[in-house]
């Protein structure tokens, strides 16, 4: 493996490890005061103007929608005969899905008991929406920055994607279905999935270039 791949791998391992440690901490109750404070703070911001947006974000950012958006983009890139971007998206979404399911079952953290604006099931840590927001929209923002489009346009589009991803993270607190540490841990795990996916595909790309040069 190339040295650069090990850099990606170690960063993703460290982030995964942090995510796991936060899960242990939340299960043990270390963050209870922080968790309660974040949910109550976000809930206090509710209004008739903001509620429709964040309820809509909850519906749009579900795992099924993430998969649908990801698969649509994968198909588009495949039709354009691009292989790197579809693989990055595919790996990132697969890693995200596996990580969420495994960690939820491993820690079995109950969800907040305050008022919910939406329905939610399964366990609380990590927030699947938060993992998916980074693994999908964060990766799309990264991919846009790597294109040859004008910098002003790429910065604008990637900023919009990051703002949307951030609104998904905040949404989990606003609608009352996750603790603050669920969101933080989910974002960290999402970055780990993103970085690992990019590292694997970058290594494949370099190996392909070496093979073609022979």
């Amino acid at each position: 493996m190339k040295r650069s791949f090990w850099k990606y791998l170690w960063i993703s391992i460290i982030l995964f490890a942090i995510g796991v440690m936060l899960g242990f901490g939340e299960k043990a109750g270390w963050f209870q005061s922080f968790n309660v404070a974040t949910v109550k703070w976000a809930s206090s911001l509710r209004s008739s103007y903001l509620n429709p947006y964040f309820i809509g974000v909850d519906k749009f950012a579900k795992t099924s929608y993430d998969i649908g958006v990801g698969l649509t983009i994968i198909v588009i890139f495949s039709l354009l005969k691009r292989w790197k971007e579809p693989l990055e998206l595919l790996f990132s979404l697969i890693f995200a899905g596996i990580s969420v399911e495994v960690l939820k079952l491993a820690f079995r953290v109950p969800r907040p008991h305050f008022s919910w604006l939406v329905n939610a099931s399964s366990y609380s840590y990590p927030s699947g929406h938060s993992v998916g927001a980074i693994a999908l929209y964060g990766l799309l923002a990264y991919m846009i920055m790597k294109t040859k489009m004008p910098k002003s346009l790429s910065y604008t589009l990637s900023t919009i994607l990051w703002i949307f991803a951030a609104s998904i993270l905040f949404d989990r607190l606003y609608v009352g279905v996750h603790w603050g540490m669920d969101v933080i841990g989910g974002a960290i795990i999402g970055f780990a999935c993103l970085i690992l996916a990019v590292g694997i595909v970058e290594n494949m790309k370099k190996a392909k270039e070496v093979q073609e040069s022979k």
Side-chain angles (χ1 to χ4, degrees):
M1 294 184 194
K2 303 293 183 181
R3 184 178 299 178
S4 60
F5 173 73
W6 287 107
K7 177 181 69 176
Y8 287 107
L9 180 61
W10 278 113
I11 292 173
S12 64
I13 288 175
I14 291 170
L15 291 175
F16 272 120
I18 292 172
V20 171
M21 287 190 292
L22 291 178
F24 277 116
E26 182 162 343
K27 183 69 174 178
W30 298 347
F31 312 117
Q32 186 63 21
S33 296
F34 170 78
N35 279 337
V36 171
T38 51
V39 174
K40 286 186 174 181
W41 167 73
S43 299
S44 71
L45 300 176
R46 292 176 182 173
S47 73
S48 58
Y49 299 103
L50 293 176
N51 287 359
Y53 173 78
F54 285 107
I55 291 173
V57 167
D58 170 79
K59 293 179 180 178
F60 182 79
K62 289 183 183 296
T63 301
S64 57
Y65 280 85
D66 286 346
I67 294 173
V69 171
L71 289 176
T72 300
I73 297 172
I74 287 170
V75 170
I76 291 172
F77 275 116
S78 299
L79 292 174
L80 295 173
K81 298 183 178 180
R82 303 283 294 269
W83 65 273
K84 182 174 175 290
E85 293 85 356
L87 275 182
E88 286 176 340
L89 275 172
L90 182 62
F91 287 151
S92 188
L93 290 173
I94 289 174
F95 297 153
I98 293 173
S99 298
V100 169
E101 293 304 316
V102 169
L103 293 177
K104 280 184 181 290
L105 290 175
F107 295 116
R108 299 175 182 268
V109 175
R111 290 181 183 268
H113 48 77
F114 306 103
S115 63
W116 292 1
L117 288 182
V118 298
N119 293 321
S121 58
S122 78
Y123 297 104
S124 196
Y125 186 90
S127 162
H129 282 66
S130 301
V131 177
I134 303 300
L136 175 58
Y137 298 105
L139 181 55
L140 290 176
Y142 166 79
M143 288 163 54
I144 287 173
M145 293 300 296
K146 300 288 285 185
T147 64
K148 295 180 181 179
M149 68 175 63
K151 289 199 174 189
S152 58
L153 180 58
S154 64
Y155 279 124
T156 299
L157 292 176
S158 62
T159 299
I160 291 172
L161 285 170
W162 279 118
I163 291 174
F164 180 62
S167 75
I168 294 174
L169 269 59
F170 178 72
D171 170 82
R172 311 321 294 148
L173 302 174
Y174 185 91
V175 298
V177 297
H178 276 290
W179 303 108
M181 200 52 66
D182 298 341
V183 173
I184 294 173
I188 291 172
I189 294 164
F191 275 113
C193 297
L194 184 160
I195 292 169
L196 182 58
V198 171
I200 291 173
V201 177
E202 286 289 344
N203 190 63
M204 293 172 62
K205 179 184 176 184
K206 289 178 181 179
K208 185 174 182 292
E209 290 173 349
V210 170
Q211 187 68 29
E212 290 176 347
S213 65
K214 291 181 179 180

